[in-house]
Amino acid sequence: MPALIRLGVLGCASIALRRFLPALTEATGIELRAVASRDPARARTVAERFGCRAADGYDELLDRSDIDAVYIPLPTGLHAYWVSRALAAGKHVLSEKPLTSDHVTARNLVNQAEQAGLWLLENYMFLHHRQHEVVRDLVARGRIGATRLFTARFGIPPLAPTNWRYHGEFGGGALLDVGVYPLRAATYFLGPELDVVGSVLRTSPIRGVDLAGHVLLCTPSGVTAELSFGFEHAYRSCYSLWGERARLTLDRAFTPPATRPPVIRIEADGDAEEVVLPADHQFRNIAEFFARSLLDGADYSPQARAIIQQAELIDKVRSRAVCVPEPHGDARSGLID
């Protein structure tokens, strides 16, 4: 393994150009070496912007000997094929979330990575923002008393009608795009033994994907989690933990700007306290975590378990859902029959 991780990028998706590639310029232990796109001209433009090479397609990038790992920001429905191809080429993989749309495929990819002695990391970048570690520490120290309820919301306004997230063949749908954030946050705070009590998915009869959803979870000890998400909402990204003595709330929980100081609000007995934290950069942090893990030979098993547990939870939400068709077509999404 070299002194730093030499990274290639499969696809020039918006998340890569807006967030991840700029973060790499600030990250230590990792260096962008090449990008690939289905459009060679686009790859050249991106390579020039970020000071790296333009590969002649995805296959050529995977064949490069100067690439140790790849970042895959492609639509969800394309993850499994290209993750498997990258692992077969001997590359470590950082894949955008969710890794796949079903737990069987996720388990197969994790097994492939483990058998090859490679890392496959699912990019839940929000977990690498320090604000959540501080929240968990406050809860562990009894600041709100015993936790009784976790709630989370992640909603965004309607997307352009042509966006891949409205297409089932690309792994679209609100559950797989925004719903996975509250689900992952619930297990982060309440543990991996959460079970799905029930769920509702509001679906598009035109596109065949879910536009919004609501999920109720429960731990074996009776602590509940109540989650909402969707593509047809005013923007909201927050969670709260309601304990026996106080309630803790965090806004901009999943997509905080790198320059924004987080504010944790704790309310009890009519009083409110605000804990202001330093700004943090979750995209830079996960890039450095990925690189450090590879360079230090870290234990991969916790990541493997997290991927499989999350995929199983998503499958349970889908299999136990009451699906309600969106009334009167999909006017709010710009999808009119």
Side-chain angles (χ1 to χ4, degrees), residues 42-59:
R42 182 169 174 79
R44 290 192 295 270
T45 299
V46 172
E48 183 177 352
R49 175 182 169 187
F50 290 101
C52 64
R53 300 181 182 90
D56 186 18
Y58 299 167
D59 290 318

Side-chain angles (χ1 to χ4, degrees), residues 149-154 174-176 178-180 182-183 195-203 210-217 224-233 236 313-314 316-324:
L149 173 68
F150 175 82
T151 62
R153 310 280 181 259
F154 195 13
L175 172 61
L176 292 178
V178 290
V180 292
L183 282 172
D195 196 15
V196 179
V197 177
S199 62
V200 176
L201 295 177
R202 190 157 61 251
T203 60
D210 53 283
L211 303 175
H214 190 85
V215 180
L216 180 64
L217 309 171
T224 52
E226 185 261 317
L227 319 173
S228 297
F229 53 89
F231 288 157
E232 48 184 17
H233 303 65
R236 196 174 182 194
L313 190 60
I314 294 168
K316 287 181 180 179
V317 170
R318 187 188 292 110
S319 67
R320 299 178 186 179
V322 174
C323 294
V324 181

Side-chain angles (χ1 to χ4, degrees), residues 179-198:
V180 292
Y181 286 88
L183 282 172
R184 188 66 184 87
T187 58
Y188 178 82
F189 288 108
L190 302 184
E193 295 184 329
L194 280 167
D195 196 15
V196 179
V197 177

Side-chain angles (χ1 to χ4, degrees), residues 2-173:
L4 55 74
I5 299 303
R6 302 167 298 181
L7 188 73
V9 178
L10 288 185
C12 298
S14 174
I15 187 70
L17 302 185
R18 291 185 298 106
R19 298 295 185 90
F20 191 75
L21 296 187
L24 285 178
T25 64
E26 303 179 27
T28 60
I30 190 166
E31 176 184 75
L32 179 62
R33 283 294 180 92
V35 297
S37 172
R38 292 175 298 171
D39 179 355
R42 182 169 174 79
R44 290 192 295 270
T45 299
V46 172
E48 183 177 352
R49 175 182 169 187
F50 290 101
C52 64
R53 300 181 182 90
D56 186 18
Y58 299 167
D59 290 318
E60 195 271 332
L61 186 143
L62 294 179
D63 287 340
R64 296 181 70 104
S65 60
D66 62 341
I67 298 292
D68 307 304
V70 296
Y71 167 58
I72 300 180
L74 299 170
T76 300
L78 302 178
H79 287 175
Y81 177 80
W82 287 107
V83 167
S84 182
R85 289 287 302 276
L87 293 171
K91 313 299 185 187
H92 301 280
V93 179
L94 172 60
S95 173
E96 270 307 325
K97 57 78 210 157
L99 178 61
T100 69
S101 58
D102 70 277
H103 82 275
V104 173
T105 304
R107 186 181 296 274
N108 289 340
L109 292 173
V110 167
N111 289 343
Q112 183 182 355
E114 291 182 316
Q115 290 168 9
L118 298 167
W119 264 61
L120 169 58
L121 182 62
E122 194 171 23
N123 191 21
Y124 282 102
M125 84 299 285
F126 79 92
L127 295 176
H128 295 264
H129 194 294
R130 177 159 164 70
Q131 61 186 354
H132 310 295
E133 181 182 341
V134 173
V135 169
R136 193 153 65 173
D137 182 61
L138 287 168
V139 173
R141 290 194 284 111
R143 185 65 181 79
I144 67 171
T147 300
R148 303 304 188 199
L149 173 68
F150 175 82
T151 62
R153 310 280 181 259
F154 195 13
I156 61 175
L159 303 161
T162 55
N163 192 289
W164 68 263
R165 291 167 180 82
Y166 289 128
H167 296 267
E169 65 269 27
F170 291 117

Side-chain angles (χ1 to χ4, degrees), residues 233-309:
H233 303 65
Y235 178 84
R236 196 174 182 194
S237 170
C238 60
Y239 64 66
S240 69
L241 291 123
W242 188 3
E244 61 182 345
R245 292 202 300 269
R247 184 168 69 96
L248 182 155
T249 303
L250 179 67
D251 198 13
R252 296 303 293 265
F254 304 118
T255 57
T259 57
R260 181 181 187 272
V263 178
I264 300 169
R265 184 176 177 85
I266 303 173
E267 300 172 90
D269 299 325
D271 296 323
E273 173 191 355
E274 291 190 343
V275 180
V276 182
L277 305 177
D280 200 11
H281 198 325
Q282 61 190 30
F283 284 89
R284 180 193 63 209
N285 292 350
I286 195 168
E288 292 183 340
F289 170 79
F290 183 56
R292 187 168 60 249
S293 298
L294 303 184
L295 294 170
D296 294 347
D299 179 15
Y300 175 65
S301 57
Q303 304 302 325
R305 287 194 299 271
I307 288 173
I308 293 170
Q309 289 164 355

